[in-house]
Amino acid sequence: MMEGSVLMYQVATVALLALACSLASAYDPSPLQDFCVAIDKYDSADMNTFLLVFVNGKFCKDPKDVKAEDFFFSRLNVAADTSGRLGSNSTAVFVDQLPGHNTLGISLSRVDYAPYGVNPPHIHPRGIELLIVLEGTLLAGFVTSNQADGENRLFTKVLNAGDIIVFPIGLIHFQLNIGKSNAIALASFNSQNPGVITIANAVFGSEPPINPDVLTKAFQVDKNIIEYLQKQFGK
């Protein structure tokens, strides 16, 4: 009986380790070739017209057609327009902008902030973010998932040029320019396409809209407030 229990414990340990390894590689697994330069479409003449294919990522360009330009992006020195209501804007360098990113598991973006501009609360469902401030002063922070005690803990830090902060994958985070001049930051991700969900836009601006009764109960406010917010974020 004792030997059986030990054996079961060993099997369970191996299973947990295997699960941990599979979860660790669940996002943008390591490539099996030098590169896979992304293309949006695959030539239908090269595949069975009756075969429907879904690809989690991008098709690969024929290696013999790959050029140096596929791995090159030159506009990250140009500031993005920050004249919008939020006072911030980003220049993404994801797989759609840099095809050579495909399967390599990395990407980045430049974020520009007008004075008091905000990069509003959002999440990246498929990537960890590492943010470095190049110019200006930012208040940056993230919120934990629901804790055992029912709380959501907030971590914030004031960042100056040269400072770095990391935002764990899937957690709500934000940045606010608390200076009187423009600010610039670079954000790097461990995914070729980390995705972004801006919380306010998703909750109040979804298409079709979320039933106001759901949001009224969730936010514990008057229904008129919810309907007002949906008009602000609606298309």
Side-chain angles (χ1 to χ4, degrees):
M1 184 69 176
M2 181 64 69
E3 291 180 357
S5 298
V6 171
L7 178 61
M8 290 183 64
Y9 174 79
Q10 292 174 336
V11 171
T13 300
V14 171
L16 287 173
L17 288 173
L19 177 61
C21 290
S22 67
L23 289 176
S25 62
Y27 298 93
D28 291 16
S30 299
L32 300 178
Q33 55 203 28
D34 286 346
F35 48 75
C36 171
V37 173
I39 54 175
D40 290 328
K41 296 181 180 180
Y42 196 80
D43 188 353
S44 60
D46 293 336
M47 58 191 302
N48 189 328
T49 56
F50 297 101
L51 180 64
L52 184 61
V53 178
F54 294 90
V55 178
N56 183 19
K58 300 281 188 178
F59 289 112
C60 299
K61 181 187 288 189
D62 189 326
K64 71 176 183 295
D65 296 328
V66 171
K67 301 177 181 179
E69 286 75 15
D70 293 321
F71 305 95
F72 179 72
F73 185 90
S74 65
R75 300 184 299 279
L76 211 59
N77 63 318
V78 179
D81 181 11
T82 58
S83 61
R85 290 189 297 177
L86 296 175
S88 75
N89 204 345
S90 63
T91 303
V93 190
F94 297 166
V95 67
D96 287 335
Q97 291 78 35
L98 185 59
H101 267 156
N102 196 37
T103 76
L104 298 185
I106 58 170
S107 59
L108 57 84
S109 65
R110 166 179 170 152
V111 189
D112 288 278
Y113 313 80
Y116 310 112
V118 64
N119 190 4
H122 61 282
I123 68 172
H124 300 291
R126 295 180 294 275
I128 300 166
E129 177 179 348
L130 188 72
L131 185 87
I132 178 170
V133 178
L134 301 182
E135 294 180 16
T137 303
L138 300 177
L139 172 66
F142 68 90
V143 183
T144 66
S145 58
N146 299 348
Q147 302 299 292
D149 59 5
E151 299 295 326
N152 298 90
R153 189 175 177 190
L154 171 66
F155 295 89
T156 61
K157 195 72 178 176
V158 173
L159 306 176
N160 296 296
D163 290 341
I164 295 174
I165 190 170
V166 64
F167 302 121
I169 186 171
L171 297 187
I172 295 175
H173 57 282
F174 59 87
Q175 304 101 46
L176 171 68
N177 182 0
I178 58 176
K180 296 181 180 179
S181 60
N182 294 337
I184 305 172
L186 281 181
S188 62
F189 305 90
N190 66 335
S191 170
Q192 69 180 41
N193 187 21
V196 61
I197 302 173
T198 305
I199 306 303
N201 297 50
V203 172
F204 299 111
S206 66
E207 183 60 40
I210 298 175
N211 188 312
D213 292 333
V214 173
L215 300 181
T216 297
K217 182 71 78 171
F219 286 92
Q220 296 292 291
V221 296
D222 188 270
K223 188 174 182 179
N224 291 330
I225 296 177
I226 297 299
E227 292 176 342
Y228 170 80
L229 290 171
Q230 286 183 319
K231 289 180 180 178
Q232 299 303 304
F233 288 91
K235 300 178 179 60

